[in-house]
Amino acid sequence: MQGNNSYDGTSKDCRMLIMNGQIVLKDVVVDGALVVEEGIITAILQEEDDIAEMKECFAEQGEQRLIDAVGRFVLPGLIDIHCDAIEKEAQPRPNTLFPLEMALLEFERKLPLHGITTMYHSLSLGVGLSLRGDHLLTEMIELIHRYNGKRAMIRNRIHLRFEVSHHEGIPILKRFLEEGKIHYLSYMDHSPGQGQYKEPGSFEKYVMKNQGVSPKEVQIIVENLIRKQHEVDWEQLKRLGKLAVKRGISVASHDDDSPDKVDEAKGFGVSISEFPIDLDTAKHATELGIDVCVGAPNVVRGISHDNNLRAVDAIKAGAAAILCSDYHPSSLLAAIFKLADEGVVELPEAVRMASLHPAQALRIDEAYGSIEIGKAADIIIVDRYEGLPWVTETIVGGVSVFSATVRY
């Protein structure tokens, strides 16, 4: 199974019984209980007699844990395939770089309270935007791998976002592919005049705000980027994309702005289209069997921050399969319940968009992504407050890594 490199010590709770929950299965919500043994879901109980018998068994034996969900929702842990918020944790403002070890530790601690049990940390190689530079990128990837070998609260994975014009980064990409140190690859083209920055001046505004550079400095960045974009070795990128696929690593395109761009992406081994710019492009990708990923912040806010495709329009059209948090982890769970509350999709379908569908797209659904017997016990318990969801318990591999209550 691809990506199985996290710490797997002996701290799993021996047995766990989660009772009185509204359990969100793949296609339906049921009242019942879950039994977890050695980090695996071993039973889904719905009959009162079976639940009572299991509760009595737990009461009689030691090293057991009983969790009363008191009618709350019980969901599979969320799987986030695209989130670059760790970059802001390390560098919250221009020229304010914090220790990477501190950034990783503190950022990981926040994820269980948002219900995220598997995070594909999105780290960018190229163009010098945010925490984007060869030395910081390589240091963070190596750090995550060392960390996973010692301990972990959640399942930390690496999503390498490769800027196609960053020619100097090709050897780094190739090395990480050959060493098996990345779990997901996407190709980006952030050059001005297309994709996310199709509107004149939009790229320049973003860089000046994000990096604190002057108009003169950003003009130099633009000129260099356009020159490098014209020098891209597309055939080499195709070969590396196919190498990734051969090694079980899914490949994505990014900010596709036309059906033609999607067609081109297929030749690179792409099976996921992240944030297509318009509905026609999203529909075309879906028709080709490519999974479309849209941003949860877009769902929550009801609009794209770049005035591009509204995520809810793609979901209503059946042209989006995956939700990701993009840059705002707390939006992922909120988007799920917003979609269900507003009748865009039923709750199980909304949950699948942030659990089973990303697991399938990244080829880890054999063990993760849904509440099923035999799968890893990555589970969250969710309450509501004034319509908003909040996590009261997060369990990863049978270990309770987060628990919360209120004073009154």
Side-chain angles (χ1 to χ4, degrees):
M1 185 184 305
Q2 185 263 115
N4 185 22
N5 68 331
S6 289
Y7 173 74
D8 189 24
T10 57
S11 60
K12 296 184 181 74
D13 293 336
C14 184
R15 295 183 79 198
M16 181 183 292
L17 176 64
I18 304 171
M19 297 178 52
N20 299 322
Q22 297 184 65
I23 305 170
V24 183
L25 302 178
K26 285 195 295 185
D27 299 305
V28 67
V29 180
V30 301
D31 293 329
L34 298 178
V35 180
V36 174
E37 299 177 85
E38 296 297 325
I40 301 296
I41 299 168
T42 58
I44 302 171
L45 307 176
Q46 296 183 58
E47 299 296 329
E48 290 186 8
D49 289 347
D50 293 337
I51 296 171
E53 182 179 344
M54 185 62 69
K55 183 179 178 181
E56 184 176 339
C57 177
F58 267 64
E60 292 174 353
Q61 299 180 19
E63 297 187 18
Q64 318 288 324
R65 183 162 183 225
L66 191 151
I67 299 175
D68 190 347
V70 292
R72 296 166 178 152
F73 291 100
V74 179
L75 277 62
L78 306 185
I79 298 173
D80 196 351
I81 71 171
H82 183 118
C83 180
D84 60 12
I86 194 170
E87 294 181 338
K88 288 296 184 184
E89 190 74 36
Q91 188 171 306
R93 293 183 180 179
N95 303 314
T96 59
L97 184 66
F98 283 76
L100 299 187
E101 294 84 357
M102 174 183 173
L104 173 60
L105 192 67
E106 295 302 320
F107 185 63
E108 186 197 34
R109 288 203 306 151
K110 298 175 182 179
L111 298 176
L113 66 89
H114 299 313
I116 297 169
T117 56
T118 300
M119 171 60 85
Y120 286 78
H121 298 286
S122 302
L123 303 170
S124 299
L125 183 57
V127 303
L129 305 177
S130 191
L131 182 66
R132 300 177 184 179
D134 294 1
H135 68 293
L136 294 177
L137 179 282
T138 55
E139 285 177 26
M140 182 62 87
I141 288 178
E142 297 291 357
L143 172 62
I144 290 173
H145 275 275
R146 290 196 304 272
Y147 182 77
N148 281 341
K150 297 176 181 178
R151 55 162 281 167
M153 291 184 71
I154 67 159
R155 303 184 192 278
N156 294 291
R157 303 289 184 261
I158 295 166
H159 169 190
L160 181 61
R161 307 174 63 200
F162 185 77
E163 187 69 32
V164 298
S165 60
H166 187 52
H167 313 314
E168 301 87 350
I170 289 286
I172 297 172
L173 168 59
K174 186 176 180 181
R175 173 166 66 88
F176 281 139
L177 284 173
E178 291 174 344
E179 293 178 354
K181 288 187 174 178
I182 64 174
H183 309 99
Y184 177 36
L185 170 66
S186 62
Y187 284 136
M188 307 181 295
D189 185 354
H190 283 119
S191 56
Q194 56 82 51
Q196 181 179 349
Y197 300 112
K198 209 166 189 176
E199 289 297 317
S202 58
F203 177 84
E204 290 86 342
K205 290 177 183 176
Y206 178 83
V207 175
M208 286 190 290
K209 178 182 178 181
N210 203 50
Q211 290 296 296
V213 298
S214 69
K216 185 176 181 180
E217 290 171 318
V218 81
Q219 190 57 43
I220 295 172
I221 292 173
V222 168
E223 290 171 0
N224 287 336
L225 194 53
I226 291 175
R227 175 179 54 80
K228 287 186 171 185
Q229 204 273 345
H230 290 151
E231 298 170 352
V232 172
D233 186 343
W234 297 106
E235 290 303 315
Q236 185 177 37
L237 293 179
K238 282 184 181 179
R239 290 193 295 271
L240 289 171
K242 290 177 180 178
L243 173 62
V245 173
K246 185 178 180 180
R247 291 178 175 271
I249 299 167
S250 296
V251 180
S253 57
H254 186 82
D255 293 340
D256 296 320
D257 60 11
S258 70
D260 287 344
K261 281 281 186 71
V262 175
D263 291 337
E264 292 172 10
K266 280 286 273 188
F268 291 75
V270 162
S271 58
I272 300 169
S273 174
E274 296 183 340
F275 318 121
I277 299 301
D278 56 54
L279 187 56
D280 286 342
T281 303
K283 286 181 176 179
H284 184 69
T286 300
E287 289 167 0
L288 292 180
I290 294 174
D291 290 316
V292 170
C293 177
V294 295
N298 188 318
V299 172
V300 173
R301 297 176 63 248
I303 191 173
S304 161
H305 72 278
D306 287 317
N307 295 315
N308 293 318
L309 174 65
R310 291 177 70 241
V312 71
D313 292 339
I315 295 168
K316 286 180 178 178
I322 298 170
L323 279 173
C324 71
S325 74
D326 193 1
Y327 55 89
H328 195 249
S330 64
S331 288
L332 193 54
L333 186 63
I336 288 170
F337 279 86
K338 181 176 171 65
L339 289 171
D341 290 345
E342 295 183 355
V344 178
V345 294
E346 297 295 326
L347 182 59
E349 183 176 351
V351 170
R352 289 199 303 271
M353 293 186 72
S355 54
L356 183 58
H357 289 174
Q360 291 169 333
L362 270 60
R363 311 182 195 185
I364 60 170
D365 57 299
E366 185 177 317
Y368 311 107
S370 57
I371 294 177
E372 295 183 70
I373 294 173
K375 285 195 174 184
D378 291 2
I379 298 164
I380 61 176
I381 300 176
V382 179
D383 202 355
R384 306 291 297 271
Y385 172 72
E386 294 188 355
L388 293 172
W390 67 284
V391 176
T392 64
E393 188 105 19
T394 299
I395 297 159
V396 183
V399 178
S400 178
V401 298
F402 171 76
S403 184
T405 186
V406 292
R407 290 188 295 114
Y408 53 86

